[in-house]
């Protein structure tokens, strides 16, 4: 994948895992303000007639970022960064680290020669996305809970004092199983988005490398990363909204209940709430992550071969 699809992975699984986790964490740090804006927009409900609210609190990506910074301080834009990094170490490392081995498995083993079919790339990415998020779901839950909490009235205590407190509080008050709240839509979202990201990056990169003037360089990685981010947002936005609402609000009984209530109360366009910040987030995230990953893998390869 992230190497030419015609070649076998030339670094160890441990090397790929570390490279992937590092790259995902770096991209997370750079783009989490946009993710915080996206979560706030997705959780924002339509104003009910007569409730005295004329306009929604958050309007647009930049407007949401500005509102959060003005009301809560700049640091609020990095709410959830600690569980976000926990998530990327587990989820980012596993989904990317396992992609090449599982893709090879689906192609019949290491003796396979030629371009990997797009269907095999998609199937491999769906598999690694589902496996990785099953392990990392508690980190995703805590991240969303911390991001969802806005400005509180004076003297009101915060629900959680930090990431570790959130994990322990959720287990104590809601049980261990609560850490896997929203696992259904989360598996759907992350396996779909993972397939859109990894398979499209793989495919776009493979296609570009066959065109005159393109080589395995930063420009190719940049264009492939943008393509991956765009496909991921187009395909994954509806399940992303359902996941954020289920994790941010315990009023929903199930994935279907959340989907139907969102559709009934807010209309079909609600499933693309936060589309611009989501693309700004995922587009920039993918560009940063894949550019960093390609360089990290080269660095690890040089260490392993020395």
């Amino acid at each position: 994948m992230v190497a030419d699809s015609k070649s076998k992975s030339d670094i160890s699984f441990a090397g790929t895992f570390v490279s992937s986790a590092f790259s995902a964490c770096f991209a997370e740090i750079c783009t989490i303000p946009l993710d915080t804006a996206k979560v706030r927009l997705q959780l924002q409900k339509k104003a009910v007639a007569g409730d005295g609210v004329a306009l929604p609190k958050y309007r647009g990506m930049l407007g949401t970022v500005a509102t959060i910074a003005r009301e809560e301080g700049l640091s609020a834009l990095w709410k959830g960064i600690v569980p976000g990094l926990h998530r990327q170490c587990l989820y980012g490392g596993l989904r990317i680290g396992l992609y090449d081995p599982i893709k090879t498995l689906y192609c019949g083993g290491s003796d396979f020669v030629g371009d990997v079919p797009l269907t095999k790339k998609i199937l491999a990415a769906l598999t690694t996305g589902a496996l990785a998020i099953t392990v990392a779901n508690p980190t995703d839950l805590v991240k969303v809970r911390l991001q969802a909490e806005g400005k509180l009235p004076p003297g009101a205590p915060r629900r959680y004092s930090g990431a570790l407190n959130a994990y322990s509080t959720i287990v104590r008050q809601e049980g261990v199983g609560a850490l896997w709240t929203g696992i259904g839509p989360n598996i759907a979202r992350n396996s779909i988005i993972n397939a859109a990201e990894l398979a499209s990056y793989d495919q776009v990169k493979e296609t570009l490398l066959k065109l005159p003037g393109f080589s395995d360089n930063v420009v190719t990685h940049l264009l492939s990363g943008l393509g991956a981010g765009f496909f991921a947002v187009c395909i994954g936005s509806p399940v992303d909204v359902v996941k954020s609402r289920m994790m941010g609000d315990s009023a929903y009984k199930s994935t279907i209940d959340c989907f139907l209530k969102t559709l009934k109360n807010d209309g079909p366009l609600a499933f693309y709430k936060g589309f611009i910040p989501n693309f700004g987030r995922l587009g920039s995230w993918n560009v940063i992550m894949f550019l960093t990953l390609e360089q990290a893998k080269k660095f690890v390869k040089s260490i392993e071969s020395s």
Side-chain angles (χ1 to χ4, degrees):
M1 174 207 77
V2 212
D4 186 345
S5 7
K6 293 182 181 180
S7 63
K8 307 296 182 291
S9 180
D10 46 12
I11 66 174
S12 65
F13 169 75
T16 304
F17 180 90
V18 170
S19 300
S20 304
F22 171 78
S23 305
C25 286
F26 181 66
E28 188 78 5
I29 292 169
C30 293
T31 62
I32 200 169
L34 298 177
D35 191 53
T36 300
K38 178 206 74 173
V39 168
R40 295 286 181 91
L41 284 168
Q42 287 176 336
L43 293 178
Q44 183 167 257
K45 310 285 180 63
K46 267 190 176 178
V48 179
D51 66 359
V53 180
L55 293 171
K57 181 177 182 179
Y58 302 117
R59 298 177 65 85
M61 176 178 68
L62 296 180
T64 302
V65 168
T67 299
I68 294 170
R70 183 176 64 252
E71 293 187 352
E72 304 169 47
L74 280 174
S75 62
L77 293 168
W78 275 267
K79 272 185 177 178
I81 186 60
V82 173
L85 294 178
H86 294 167
R87 177 187 186 274
Q88 291 305 340
C89 282
L90 288 173
Y91 177 67
L94 288 173
R95 74 181 181 108
I96 299 170
L98 290 171
Y99 176 69
D100 275 335
I102 289 182
K103 186 173 65 174
T104 300
L105 177 68
Y106 286 160
C107 287
S110 57
D111 293 333
F112 177 81
V113 177
D115 292 341
V116 176
L118 179 59
T119 52
K120 302 289 187 183
K121 295 173 184 173
I122 292 172
L123 185 58
L126 285 170
T127 303
T128 63
L131 289 173
I133 202 58
T134 299
V135 175
N137 196 82
T139 63
D140 214 6
L141 175 73
V142 169
K143 177 187 167 192
V144 169
R145 292 258 181 116
L146 290 175
Q147 287 177 315
E149 192 171 61
K151 188 178 182 181
L152 298 175
R158 290 210 166 272
R159 192 177 182 186
Y160 310 113
S161 61
L164 295 180
N165 175 256
Y167 289 120
S168 61
T169 301
I170 291 168
V171 170
R172 187 174 65 253
Q173 295 181 351
E174 305 172 49
V176 175
L179 291 171
W180 277 268
T181 298
I183 185 66
N186 216 10
I187 286 177
R189 172 197 182 266
N190 285 281
S191 57
I192 289 169
I193 289 180
N194 194 50
E197 286 179 352
L198 298 190
S200 63
Y201 182 86
D202 214 349
Q203 192 68 29
V204 170
K205 182 179 174 184
E206 181 182 293
T207 302
L208 290 175
L209 289 175
K210 292 178 180 177
L211 298 176
F214 282 95
S215 61
D216 194 3
N217 59 19
V218 170
V219 174
T220 300
H221 303 159
L222 176 67
L223 294 175
S224 302
L226 280 173
F230 179 74
F231 283 115
V233 178
C234 289
I235 294 169
S237 265
V239 285
D240 190 42
V241 169
V242 171
K243 181 218 71 166
S244 289
R245 290 198 169 192
M246 281 193 72
M247 288 183 166
D249 189 341
S250 58
Y252 301 110
K253 298 175 184 176
S254 66
T255 304
I256 294 175
D257 179 56
C258 181
F259 177 85
L260 293 176
K261 283 181 178 175
T262 301
L263 183 64
K264 178 182 177 182
N265 297 331
D266 300 316
L269 290 180
F271 294 108
Y272 284 90
K273 264 190 175 183
F275 183 89
I276 298 300
N278 207 3
F279 177 64
R281 151 76 166 171
L282 270 180
S284 57
W285 193 95
N286 275 277
V287 167
I288 294 168
M289 195 281 289
F290 281 117
L291 284 174
T292 307
L293 177 61
E294 297 280 8
Q295 299 307 311
K297 289 182 75 174
K298 287 180 183 177
F299 177 73
V300 170
K301 182 183 176 182
S302 69
I303 292 177
E304 291 186 345
S305 60
S306 61

